[in-house]
Structures are given as C-alpha cells and as structure tokens.
C-alpha cells in the first residue's frame, strides 16, 4: 500500500514497487520473462499480462479463478512466459476485484536485435498510460454498489501517466509534461488502463500517425484523434513540427454514446519544445475535443485501421470457419429482494451471467476435476429476438447463471459474431480474448444479417488485435485459430460489466504431441 495524494485528497492505494502507474517491463520478441510477484497487501492478487499469447503457458496468464488461484497475502508466485513472435506495446494489470485501477503498467516488446520497425525509426519513444482516478476507496465503492445491485459512481478524473492536470476543484493538480525537440519524430505508446471508459486522445496542433494497435503493425493511418478502449494499446508517430514558441495541450476525454453517467473530466498534459521559452503571455494552445457522444469520430477511427499485411508481417486471416458462434452481449436484471429497487443489474453473453468458480478453471481442466464447470456454453441465443430494437419494459430481462465454457478442438477456426443488445440499454463493449489475437473481419449497426453481412467481410487486411469494441446498437465479427491449448477467458474490459457477469471462457483441447499440449503447472502455482 502506498499513500498517495491526487485531486487535493489523499488515500492509500495498492501499487507495484510503490509506483503508479507501475513499472514498465522492457523485453524483446522471443525473450523469456520471469517475474516474481510478492503480495504485501490484505487483498488476494493476480497479474494478467494483457495481450501476451502465453502459448502453452496458460498458468502464467493471470486472471484469478480462470487460470490460477490468486496469490494470497504474504505469498508469492513466479510468472514465467515467452514473448513468442510478438513485438510492440502491451500492458499488465491486476486481474481480480477492481485492483487494476492502480495496479497496471506497460509492457514494451522491442523487435529482435537488428530487425527494424516497418516505418522510419523514431528519434525517441514515450509511454503514455491513460487511467481513471477515484477519490474514494475503489474496493469499497464496488462492494457498496454490489450490495445494492446498482452501478458504482463514475471516477473523479482521468489521468495521463498518473497525473490529471489542473481540474476545477483542484487547480493546483499538476499534469504530465511531454518535452520534444523541433523536427524530431517520436513514437508514443498509448495504453488505456481506465476501468470503465473509452477515451479520445488528442494533441493540439499536431497530427498523429497510427502504426500499431495491440502489438500488431498497421498500415500507417494519419489522424488528429485516437480512440482507445480499456485494454487496447495504440502506437502513434508524432512529428514535432509546430510553432516552437507555444505549449500544446495533450488531452484524454471520454467517449460515451449511451445515456448513462460518466466521468466528463478531461485529463490534460502539456507538450513543449526543448530549448524554446514560451512567453508568459502566451496561453497553451488548446485541443478541440470531440463531444463525448461523437460516434462518427469513433467509428471513422475504427474503420480506418488495417493490418499491415506485408511479406514480413502477413495477415493470416482464417478463410474457412469450423465453429460459427453468435454471442449476444448486453445487460440484464435479476430479482434481488435485498437490493434497492428489488432487482440487481447483471450482464451476460447469450443470456448467461457467468459465475466465477472457487477452483481455477485451468486446474479443473488439466486435472479433470468435476463439478467446477460444464462445457455447454450456448453457441447461439436460445431465444432469438430483435436484439437492437428498444425493449418493451414488460420483456423479461432476467438471465440464467452458470460456469459454462465452450470447448474447441486444437487448431479449430472460429468465427464469433458479437451482437450488442438494447436490453436495459445499449452501450459500446470492448471485448478482450485471452490467449489469442483475432481479426476483426466486419462490423455494422443493427442486427447482424447472416445472408448479407458476410459478403462484405474484409478477409484481406482486417485489423488484428486482442480487444475489440462492439458498437452500441450493432455488431462486430471476429475470427481466430484455436492454436493455444488451455482455458482462455473472454470478457468485456469495462470492469463494471465483468463484475456483472459479461464474461465466458473457452477450453481448448490439446492437439497431437507435446508441442500442441498445455505444459504442466509450475510447482509454486498458488492454491485457493
């Protein structure tokens, strides 16, 4: 625990090595990484290495009760994994309770020695971690909300590398400073570590060129606004070519196109030119920020992303599909006599609200422990309806609960249509799949049409990533190859929705021989 003062108020927070954001891990493609995590706090802890493929090393993936029991107070665990065939920006975060509010940091994977970037080498690289800050204790906040069956309060501010910049009720709060040299090109490694908010990121007076998302190179795309959902990373090139006598605002602000309360406090930082003084009469050049509900800005950004698909970095998109899944994602409400309004807000996939087990699923799978999970997760909704039409209040919004997994044979090709629903309300859901990258082959508004929509799929250079937004009132289609044996979590990366049950898991069976089989668990695997 570290005592921290922000927004003119103090509280103890859970940190790694006393830092917020936590330390950056720097490695190279194909390096093996060993990280000892020692738990000195009163909470159970586990760490997820977000976006790391974990080929055959599911024991090191980190989501509590999915691939491991958490690390209990005064215990420790060695995470041991190899960054096979990956390079770029990923991140790590706590994967239990709401601890990732403060327990998170960057993973920088450099290319192998002697291998260049597929774009001009930047003069310098900077890591930009975007986050959310609550003045109150985050664990108390979610415990209270859970007790009453309601949503917790939105955060009090956003942060850029741990700093919010001045805000109305705390004008003395400092901001992050980004010094640049005139004419030089910088690579910014941007990470959205916020719990519940998709963010727009802008730098006044400067264009940004997107060259990578989720540690996969993209075709360079010039923009003045980046959209980044919780869980996603985006690398951009920034050329310092503006008037050197001014300072420029760097801003992170919420994208929210649903009628719910959110944190509308913009985090600000300052870009300034090294060796150039700015006269005190000159105000900082402000960024013109999109409206919070700027769906057009958000969808333009998403639709402009493409895989590089070069000879060195091909996009290996599955063209055939062995398992075609249709997942409705959305909210629901279950009866709750002790809750404020008699109902508890929940969330589910195909109307299943996922129940967390008390034994880690990967152990149950590996050691054939029965009665922990079933492998009958529905491939499609049992009761189809008009998913995106406004729902009549008399419609039953209840969900069923269970620890259901979907079983895949090794090397199966999988397509998932993630269909948003308007049950309770429709909002954007950033979905993260552990253990795999996938290709976003299509997206659209309204209900997915299995006759017409697949004809428009991009199977040539779709963006490849590990976290994808499912648009409010629409759908997203993804494809991947199940070439990684183990148990792999899939969930909405809005922490409140994960808490409410918007999650499921795949169990991928071993293939043939040791190279296609899950490794045995390490001796120090935590016990429940």
């Amino acid at each position: 625990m570290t005592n921290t003062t922000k927004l003119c108020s103090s509280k103890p927070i859970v940190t790694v090595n006393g830092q917020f954001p936590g330390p950056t891990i720097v490695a190279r493609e194909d390096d093996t990484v060993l990280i000892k995590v020692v738990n000195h706090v009163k909470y159970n802890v586990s760490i997820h290495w977000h976006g790391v493929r974990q080929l055959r090393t599911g024991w090191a993936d980190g989501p509590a009760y999915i691939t491991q029991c958490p690390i209990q107070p005064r215990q420790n665990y060695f995470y041991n994994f190899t960054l096979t065939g990956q390079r770029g920006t990923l991140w790590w975060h706590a994967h239990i309770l709401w601890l990732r509010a403060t327990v998170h940091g960057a993973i920088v994977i450099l290319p192998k020695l002697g291998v260049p970037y597929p774009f001009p080498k930047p003069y310098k690289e900077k890591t930009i971690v975007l986050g959310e800050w609550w003045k109150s204790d985050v664990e108390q906040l979610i415990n209270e909300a859970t007790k009453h069956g309601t949503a917790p309060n939105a955060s009090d501010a956003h942060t850029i590398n741990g700093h919010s910049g001045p805000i109305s009720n705390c004008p003395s709060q400092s901001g992050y400073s980004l010094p640049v040299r005139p004419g030089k090109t910088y690579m910014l490694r941007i990470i959205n570590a916020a719990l519940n908010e998709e963010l727009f990121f802008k730098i006044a007076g400067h264009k940004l060129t997107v060259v990578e998302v989720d540690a996969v190179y993209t075709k360079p795309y010039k923009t003045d606004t980046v959209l980044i959902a919780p869980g996603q990373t985006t690398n951009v090139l920034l050329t310092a070519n503006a008037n050197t006598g001014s300072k420029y605002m760097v801003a992170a602000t919420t994208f929210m196109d649903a009628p719910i309360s959110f944190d509308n406090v913009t985090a600000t930082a300052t870009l300034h030119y090294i060796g150039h003084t700015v006269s005190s009469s000159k105000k900082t050049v402000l960024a013109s920020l999109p409206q919070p509900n700027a769906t057009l800005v958000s969808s333009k950004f998403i639709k402009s992303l493409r895989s590089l698909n070069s000879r060195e970095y091909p996009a290996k998109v599955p063209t055939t599909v062995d398992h075609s899944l249709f997942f409705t994602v959305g909210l629901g409400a279950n009866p709750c006599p002790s809750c404020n309004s008699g109902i508890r807000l929940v969330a589910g996939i195909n109307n299943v609200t996922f129940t967390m087990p008390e034994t880690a699923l990967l152990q149950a799978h590996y050691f054939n422990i029965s009665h922990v999970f079933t492998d009958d997760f529905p491939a499609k909704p049992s009761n189809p309806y008009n998913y995106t039409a406004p729902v009549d209040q008399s419609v039953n919004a209840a969900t069923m609960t269970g620890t259901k997994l979907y079983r895949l044979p090794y090397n199966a090709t999988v397509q998932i249509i993630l269909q948003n629903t308007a049950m309770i309300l429709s909002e954007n859901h950033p979905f993260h799949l552990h253990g795999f990258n996938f290709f976003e082959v299509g997206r659209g508004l309204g209900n997915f049409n299995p006759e017409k929509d697949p004809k428009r799929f991009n199977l040539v250079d779709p963006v490849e990533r590990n976290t994808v937004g499912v648009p409010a009132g629409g759908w997203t289609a993804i494809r991947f190859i199940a070439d990684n044996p183990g148990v792999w979590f899939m969930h909405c990366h809005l922490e409140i929705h994960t808490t409410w049950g918007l999650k499921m898991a795949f169990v991928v069976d071993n293939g043939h021989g040791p190279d296609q089989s899950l490794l045995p668990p390490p001796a120090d695997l935590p016990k429940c």
Side-chain angles (χ1 to χ4, degrees):
M1 302 302 291
T2 305
N3 275 324
T4 311
T5 301
K6 286 198 190 303
L7 316 189
C8 298
S9 78
S10 301
K11 66 172 185 176
I13 60 169
V14 183
T15 58
V16 171
N17 299 354
Q19 298 172 38
F20 171 75
T24 297
I25 295 165
V26 182
R28 283 194 187 277
E29 178 177 345
D30 292 346
D31 278 359
T32 293
V33 183
L34 267 172
I35 299 168
K36 184 181 186 182
V37 177
V38 186
N39 185 1
H40 291 293
V41 297
K42 64 182 179 183
Y43 303 104
N44 284 346
V45 169
S46 74
I47 307 283
H48 170 50
W49 318 96
H50 183 116
V52 172
R53 286 287 321 269
Q54 298 290 2
L55 290 164
R56 303 172 53 228
T57 53
W59 309 105
D61 190 42
Y65 303 106
I66 306 295
T67 58
Q68 67 166 96
C69 299
I71 307 164
Q72 294 176 37
R74 295 183 298 285
Q75 302 290 310
N76 60 64
Y77 179 39
F78 262 108
Y79 287 94
N80 180 348
F81 53 89
T82 302
L83 300 165
T84 309
Q86 292 188 275
R87 81 296 303 162
T89 306
L90 294 171
W91 65 301
W92 57 266
H93 60 80
H95 213 303
I96 185 168
L97 309 170
W98 277 35
L99 295 181
R100 80 172 170 92
T102 57
V103 179
H104 59 252
I107 303 175
V108 171
I109 311 170
L110 302 169
K112 289 185 215 177
L113 279 170
V115 176
Y117 292 130
F119 44 81
K121 186 175 191 280
Y123 168 68
K124 272 200 174 142
E125 302 181 7
K126 306 262 186 190
T127 300
I128 307 283
V129 181
L130 310 177
E132 276 183 280
W133 188 265
W134 281 261
K135 287 187 185 179
S136 55
D137 180 303
V138 179
E139 293 308 321
Q140 280 174 356
L141 186 86
I142 182 57
N143 290 344
E144 274 300 294
T146 303
K147 200 165 80 183
H148 299 302
T150 55
N153 294 342
S155 51
D156 297 297
H158 294 102
T159 55
I160 298 174
N161 285 349
H163 303 278
S164 66
I167 62 170
S168 59
N169 52 8
C170 185
S172 62
Q173 179 69 54
S174 66
Y176 172 71
S177 174
L178 179 63
V180 295
R181 292 193 182 276
K184 299 288 188 193
T185 296
Y186 293 77
M187 182 156 77
L188 306 183
R189 298 174 176 270
I190 311 167
I191 297 163
N192 186 349
L195 260 66
N196 294 312
E197 312 229 286
E198 303 206 26
L199 297 167
F200 289 121
F201 178 84
K202 285 191 86 156
I203 300 180
H206 295 75
K207 281 265 195 222
L208 304 169
T209 303
V210 178
V211 290
E212 177 205 299
V213 296
D214 292 3
V216 184
Y217 296 132
T218 60
K219 290 189 170 77
Y221 163 55
K222 252 198 164 86
T223 179
D224 60 0
T225 309
V226 167
L227 172 77
I228 185 164
Q232 293 182 334
T233 67
T234 304
N235 284 8
V236 299
L237 298 178
L238 157 79
T239 301
N241 56 6
N243 176 355
T244 54
S246 295
K247 285 182 175 176
Y248 297 87
M249 173 176 166
V250 181
T253 186
T254 307
F255 165 58
M256 173 57 76
D257 58 357
I260 54 176
S261 63
F262 61 91
D263 177 351
N264 64 357
V265 180
T266 300
T268 57
T270 309
L271 179 149
H272 65 94
Y273 282 81
I274 296 167
H276 292 266
T277 50
V278 178
S279 69
S280 53
S281 62
K282 271 209 162 171
K283 284 196 165 64
T284 300
V285 178
L286 300 181
S288 60
L289 298 171
Q291 289 298 313
N293 64 351
T295 304
L296 286 174
V297 178
S298 110
S299 55
K300 178 177 187 275
F301 180 84
I302 292 166
K303 287 181 173 168
S304 303
L305 299 175
R306 293 274 184 277
S307 281
L308 189 56
N309 196 18
S310 64
R311 205 165 49 98
E312 294 84 5
Y313 305 102
K316 296 176 183 164
V317 189
T319 50
T320 58
V321 175
D322 300 326
H323 288 252
S324 185
L325 309 178
F326 186 87
F327 284 2
T328 58
V329 297
L331 306 184
N334 287 340
C336 171
S338 65
C339 294
N340 284 5
S341 54
I343 58 158
R344 172 184 298 288
L345 284 173
V346 294
I349 302 175
N350 283 352
N351 212 39
V352 178
T353 294
F354 191 85
T355 308
M356 290 300 268
E358 290 174 5
T359 302
L361 296 173
L362 188 59
Q363 277 168 289
H365 165 59
Y366 187 85
F367 293 109
N368 283 324
I369 305 169
S370 49
H371 311 304
V372 176
F373 68 85
T374 56
D375 60 4
D376 57 347
F377 190 88
K380 58 182 196 292
S382 49
N383 297 317
Y385 64 99
N386 184 352
Y387 307 112
T388 51
V391 177
D392 178 352
Q393 289 308 304
S394 65
V395 170
N396 182 1
T399 63
M400 57 180 161
T401 57
T403 310
K404 296 172 183 289
L405 276 59
Y406 189 93
R407 189 174 290 273
L408 290 166
Y410 185 84
N411 250 357
T413 53
V414 186
Q415 173 175 291
I416 309 175
I417 308 298
L418 294 161
Q419 172 70 61
N420 216 324
T421 75
M423 191 70 74
I424 313 291
L425 66 87
S426 184
E427 62 176 298
N428 206 2
H429 298 286
F431 256 78
H432 173 48
L433 175 61
H434 291 228
F436 301 95
N437 282 350
F438 51 75
F439 291 96
E440 182 198 314
V441 294
R443 65 170 44 231
L445 291 177
N447 296 330
F448 175 73
N449 182 321
E451 266 69 61
K452 292 180 185 162
D453 289 329
K455 292 178 180 145
R456 295 200 296 272
F457 281 0
N458 174 5
L459 303 179
V460 179
D461 62 351
V463 69
E464 181 183 346
R465 50 191 333 164
N466 63 54
T467 305
V468 71
V470 183
W475 55 270
T476 301
I478 65 170
R479 287 187 182 184
F480 66 98
I481 300 169
D483 58 358
N484 194 3
V487 173
W488 303 107
F489 206 21
M490 183 172 181
H491 60 97
C492 177
H493 221 276
L494 303 179
E495 204 59 36
I496 183 59
H497 291 168
T498 301
T499 304
W500 287 348
L502 198 51
K503 50 197 173 186
M504 58 81 67
F506 290 99
V507 53
V508 179
D509 289 321
N510 286 340
H512 302 292
D515 290 351
Q516 299 182 358
S517 301
L518 179 64
L519 290 165
D524 66 338
L525 188 71
K527 296 188 170 35
C528 283

